[in-house]
Amino acid sequence: MIEFLKKHKYKIIAAVCALAVLTGAFLAGESLGNNAPAVAKSSTSDTAIVTERTTVSQGKNDSTSPTENSTKATDKGKSKQSTTAPTSATQVNSEQSAVSNQTSKSSSSSSSASSKSSSQITQSSSTKQDKYKTDPIPEGKPEPVEPQEQEITDNTLKCTFSISCAAVLDNMDKLDKSKREIIPDDGWILEPVTVTFNEGESVFDVLKQVCKDNKIQLEFSFTPIYNSSYIEGINNLDEFDCGSLSGWMYEVNDWFPNYGCSRYEVKNGDVIEWQYTCDLGGDIGGYYSVGE
């Protein structure tokens, strides 16, 4: 044992020194360790705090915080509201504009309708019948003269006068059988003849005189609503004897006047023809009231 110690004493001493150094180092390290963990802990805590702050900071930037998300959601909502508001305002403006345009159009249409209505009224005023149901007189044709306003003079004038029932010849199937014997073969009750009359007389006045002079039967009645005499029959050929649309019409200078024979003042040289129609004038070229 002693020899072992002697032989290895330097190693043992070295080992002991090493152990002593290690022990001293251990003890010194433990002494320092009591403080070091606190520092380390503090450092770790600070690191954690820093990390948390960094995270929070990043959270604020990345919108990871629920509160921040809520705030952002609110802000986003506000942003949407802010964005929506102008759109709504635009829509409102558009709607108001549309309403305005519509109102304008409506006003324009109303104005147009009013203008049109006014035009129609003006046109109606210029084309309306007179108090005796007379339509406007064609340009160039004589205006009616009321019987009460006739001024008959002693001045003698001449006109051509005739009475025809030729249209009946084409409608014998419609003619009242009791009237067939009175229909002339050629349709003339009175062939065209020159007659005299006094200035200011009407077609009705001349008809009465002609029928009297030629012993031709004449039947008539006065119609106040038309302020004219209505010719019911000539030579015993009466209205409706040849159908429901048949009757007497008069023509002056190739025109069928649209007012009664008592209101037509005859002029010198006029050509007057009384004609019997079986189709309300359609078969003789006239389309006005029968019998007037």
Side-chain angles (χ1 to χ4, degrees), residues 162-167 186-190 237 248 273-277:
S162 64
I163 303 172
S164 171
C165 61
D186 58 1
W188 288 109
I189 293 175
L190 178 68
L237 180 61
W248 287 97
E273 183 175 357
W274 278 92
Q275 300 183 59
Y276 191 88
T277 176

Side-chain angles (χ1 to χ4, degrees), residues 11-291:
K11 292 182 180 180
I12 293 171
I13 293 171
V16 172
C17 289
L19 180 60
V21 171
L22 290 173
T23 300
F26 175 77
L27 294 174
E30 185 177 3
S31 176
L32 292 173
N34 290 331
N35 294 324
V39 174
K41 185 175 181 180
S42 175
S43 176
T44 301
S45 177
D46 290 343
T47 301
I49 291 172
V50 172
T51 301
E52 183 177 353
R53 287 178 180 173
T54 302
T55 303
V56 171
S57 177
Q58 290 177 346
K60 288 182 179 179
N61 293 329
D62 297 338
S63 302
T64 55
S65 168
T67 303
E68 194 67 12
N69 282 340
S70 175
T71 302
K72 285 211 167 188
T74 302
D75 291 341
K76 188 175 181 181
K78 290 181 179 179
S79 177
K80 284 185 177 180
Q81 290 176 353
S82 176
T83 303
T84 304
T87 302
S88 298
T90 302
Q91 290 175 346
V92 170
N93 289 335
S94 298
E95 290 175 359
Q96 290 176 342
S97 178
V99 171
S100 176
N101 290 337
Q102 186 63 30
T103 302
S104 177
K105 288 181 179 179
S106 176
S107 176
S108 177
S109 298
S110 177
S111 176
S112 176
S114 177
S115 176
K116 185 176 181 181
S117 176
S118 176
S119 175
Q120 289 177 339
I121 290 173
T122 302
Q123 184 177 5
S124 176
S125 296
S126 63
T127 61
K128 68 180 182 179
Q129 297 179 329
D130 65 13
K131 63 180 180 179
Y132 296 122
K133 309 294 183 181
T134 303
D135 290 329
I137 310 304
E139 185 178 354
K141 300 300 181 182
E143 294 290 331
V145 176
E146 307 311 327
Q148 299 85 347
E149 300 174 1
Q150 281 182 307
E151 295 182 5
I152 301 175
T153 70
D154 293 332
N155 186 26
T156 302
L157 303 175
K158 294 182 179 181
C159 69
T160 301
F161 202 93
S162 64
I163 303 172
S164 171
C165 61
V168 176
L169 299 177
D170 295 325
N171 295 276
M172 293 299 287
D173 57 323
K174 298 179 182 178
L175 182 65
D176 186 332
K177 294 180 180 180
S178 65
K179 300 295 180 78
R180 289 184 179 180
E181 293 182 358
I182 64 173
I183 304 300
D185 292 338
D186 58 1
W188 288 109
I189 293 175
L190 178 68
E191 292 187 22
V193 60
T194 300
V195 298
T196 60
F197 65 96
N198 292 328
E199 183 179 12
E201 289 187 322
S202 68
V203 170
F204 175 63
D205 293 329
V206 177
L207 174 63
K208 286 192 299 179
Q209 187 61 48
V210 168
C211 287
K212 180 179 179 181
D213 292 343
N214 291 276
K215 300 185 184 315
I216 298 173
Q217 182 269 348
L218 176 65
E219 187 173 350
F220 60 87
S221 61
F222 186 78
T223 307
I225 190 174
Y226 298 122
N227 197 33
S228 177
S229 294
Y230 178 82
I231 307 305
E232 298 175 351
I234 300 176
N235 198 41
N236 292 310
L237 180 61
D238 301 326
E239 60 177 341
F240 311 134
D241 278 350
C242 196
S244 60
L245 302 180
S246 62
W248 287 97
M249 299 179 67
Y250 76 103
E251 180 181 6
V252 181
N253 302 328
D254 298 321
W255 176 55
F256 288 85
N258 57 329
Y259 48 89
C261 60
S262 295
R263 301 173 69 199
Y264 193 105
E265 184 177 325
V266 184
K267 301 297 182 182
N268 189 50
D270 281 348
V271 177
I272 304 169
E273 183 175 357
W274 278 92
Q275 300 183 59
Y276 191 88
T277 176
C278 300
D279 188 27
L280 205 62
D283 52 348
I284 59 175
Y287 301 93
Y288 292 105
S289 299
V290 175

